[in-house]
Amino acid sequence: MTANAVQDVTNPSDLTRVNNKKSVLFFWAPWHQPSSPGGQMDLVFRTLAETASKQSGTDTLFFRVEAEVVNQLSRKYDVSIVPTFLLLDERKAIVDRVEGTEASKLTLSVRKLLSMPLKTASSPSEGKDEGKVEEQQPKQKSEEETLNAKLHALINSAPMMMFMKGSPTEPKCGFSRQCVEILKTNSIPFHSFDILDPAQQHVRKGLKTYSDWPTYPQIYANGELVGGLDILKEMVEDESTSLAEQLGINKEQDISIEERLNALLSRSKLMLFMKGLPSAPKCGFSRQIVELLGEAKFDAFDILTDDEVRQGLKKLSDWPTYPQLYLDGELIGGLDIVQEMVESGEFSEMIEGL
């Protein structure tokens, strides 16, 4: 293996060498065996780096970052799980983000980065470049409006909504766990959204700006931001009135399953209900349908985290098994139907323009 195909970052200043070069950052931790030296993902990363050095010379550099040691970079890039792979263009803008141990997804993302031309290689006419930027602005505005509409729908998808790390049954940080305990202790009905889902990183980042609140968990009542754990604790300590009254929540009345399902179906034009997440499917059928979708732009919901949604969607769609794929809120079908449509070319035509 090429000796310098992978370089270790010990200080954020080490990355200054990536000027005018694309780069891949691998955030790892020694306690996580697959990402530690000699582990599965470490070997995959080194193999990709060696292959890239032969194919594309020196226009793409590969770095390993020990997440808990170089924590300035972990905070800068909002890294909360290992392994996390960040693919950056030569301007240090994030092109893609891969979380978890799915080697095939990482390989595909790296290949796409390697095939990208350098944007700053030459700029013979600044006037032409400025014209291109002006043409792109309407598209950027449209994407921002689309994201804000999605965030608004998510926030209002239940009277009490918590954006947290993990799920109520499996919180993945102490702050999220404490919020869950407080709400359950006070018999406050709530729904949640896992901001660690690799497919939902646009929600995780966008919500911070949308609500001007930089950390998680974030708690919303009747569409309005309450705050995080500290605010919730302060409200509990106020013994003059109940937590439910302060939040404006009626314990006896929760959002109907039909409203919840409609909100979930409208989260994305192409919506997949599966077992697990695209980065970590928990059944063979779900894994296969994710592979079939390939580079299609879609959103996903893990039905193993919410039995109410799992059972309710079966009745709504009159479809007894999972995965289930929807386009514009209408059921396409499961794995067999999607597979037939992909093989016939019908699927590519149907999702063209997404």
Side-chain angles (χ1 to χ4, degrees):
M1 175 141 330
T2 305
N4 62 348
V6 176
Q7 303 173 56
D8 285 301
V9 173
T10 57
N11 189 289
S13 62
D14 293 342
L15 294 183
T16 56
R17 75 192 74 171
V18 304
N19 287 335
N20 298 322
K21 297 180 187 294
K22 295 176 286 185
S23 57
V24 185
L25 308 184
F26 169 24
F27 289 84
W28 65 283
W31 47 263
H32 185 259
Q33 194 278 328
S35 68
S36 61
Q40 173 198 356
M41 296 309 295
D42 181 68
L43 294 176
V44 169
F45 186 71
R46 291 181 180 278
T47 300
L48 290 171
E50 182 180 21
T51 302
S53 67
K54 294 176 181 177
Q55 293 178 348
S56 58
T58 58
D59 73 343
T60 304
L61 300 178
F62 288 72
F63 296 95
R64 293 191 335 139
V65 183
E66 189 171 349
E68 295 175 351
V69 173
V70 194
N71 52 22
Q72 302 99 315
L73 288 179
S74 298
R75 289 197 300 270
K76 176 180 178 180
Y77 291 113
D78 200 19
V79 173
S80 58
I81 63 174
V82 291
T84 290
F85 301 89
L86 295 180
L87 291 79
L88 312 179
D89 66 15
E90 72 280 10
R91 298 172 180 174
K92 297 186 176 66
I94 298 177
V95 174
D96 199 1
R97 182 186 190 103
V98 178
E99 294 180 330
T101 57
E102 192 170 357
S104 59
K105 185 175 181 180
L106 174 63
T107 301
L108 179 62
S109 295
V110 169
R111 286 175 180 170
K112 288 173 63 178
L113 179 69
L114 295 177
S115 67
M116 288 175 53
L118 292 174
K119 300 174 185 176
T120 57
S122 62
S123 54
S125 173
E126 292 185 3
K128 290 182 180 180
D129 289 342
E130 289 174 1
K132 290 179 182 178
V133 171
E134 289 177 1
E135 291 174 2
Q136 292 175 356
Q137 283 178 349
K139 180 180 179 182
Q140 292 171 350
K141 184 177 180 181
S142 175
E143 289 176 352
E144 181 180 354
E145 289 175 346
T146 300
L147 175 58
N148 286 343
K150 176 176 180 176
L151 295 175
H152 178 79
L154 283 170
I155 290 170
N156 290 274
S157 62
M160 192 72 186
M161 190 73 189
M162 177 160 65
F163 293 82
M164 61 181 291
K165 295 182 178 181
S167 66
T169 55
E170 294 184 15
K172 293 185 178 178
C173 83
F175 298 137
S176 293
R177 177 183 55 77
Q178 291 181 65
C179 284
V180 169
E181 291 175 352
I182 289 173
L183 293 176
K184 287 186 175 181
T185 299
N186 288 271
S187 302
I188 306 293
F190 70 98
H191 297 293
S192 66
F193 184 94
D194 183 4
I195 54 94
L196 293 182
D197 181 348
Q200 301 296 339
Q201 291 310 297
H202 58 301
V203 171
R204 178 180 185 172
K205 296 174 183 176
L207 193 59
K208 292 181 179 180
T209 302
Y210 183 87
S211 298
D212 194 22
W213 194 269
T215 60
Y216 289 99
Q218 293 184 18
I219 300 168
Y220 295 78
N222 297 315
E224 297 293 330
L225 176 66
V226 175
L229 175 61
D230 290 343
I231 302 296
L232 198 61
K233 284 184 173 179
E234 290 177 5
M235 296 174 76
V236 171
E237 291 172 358
D238 182 0
E239 299 180 355
S240 64
T241 182
S242 70
L243 180 59
E245 291 174 326
Q246 293 181 68
L247 294 170
I249 297 296
N250 183 351
K251 293 184 181 181
E252 305 302 323
Q253 183 178 2
D254 196 9
I255 190 170
S256 69
I257 182 58
E258 289 79 11
E259 292 174 302
R260 287 197 65 205
L261 293 175
N262 288 332
L264 286 171
L265 289 169
S266 64
R267 257 173 44 175
S268 175
K269 288 181 68 68
L270 191 62
M271 189 72 192
L272 176 65
F273 292 83
M274 61 181 290
K275 294 180 179 179
L277 298 172
S279 60
K282 293 186 178 178
C283 81
F285 298 134
S286 292
R287 177 183 56 77
Q288 290 179 63
I289 200 168
V290 168
E291 291 175 352
L292 286 173
L293 292 177
E295 297 182 27
K297 187 176 180 180
F298 69 98
D299 200 346
F301 182 85
D302 181 4
I303 53 95
L304 296 179
T305 64
D306 195 318
D307 195 59
E308 184 182 41
V309 169
R310 180 178 185 175
Q311 301 304 328
L313 193 59
K314 289 181 182 180
K315 295 179 182 178
L316 179 69
S317 63
D318 195 24
W319 194 270
T321 60
Y322 288 99
Q324 295 182 19
L325 185 66
Y326 292 76
L327 178 65
D328 290 324
E330 297 294 328
L331 177 68
I332 295 175
L335 174 62
D336 291 343
I337 291 179
V338 173
Q339 194 164 24
E340 291 174 5
M341 295 177 71
V342 169
E343 292 173 353
S344 68
E346 183 182 356
F347 186 74
S348 296
E349 296 176 5
M350 182 177 63
I351 66 170
E352 187 174 0
L354 288 182

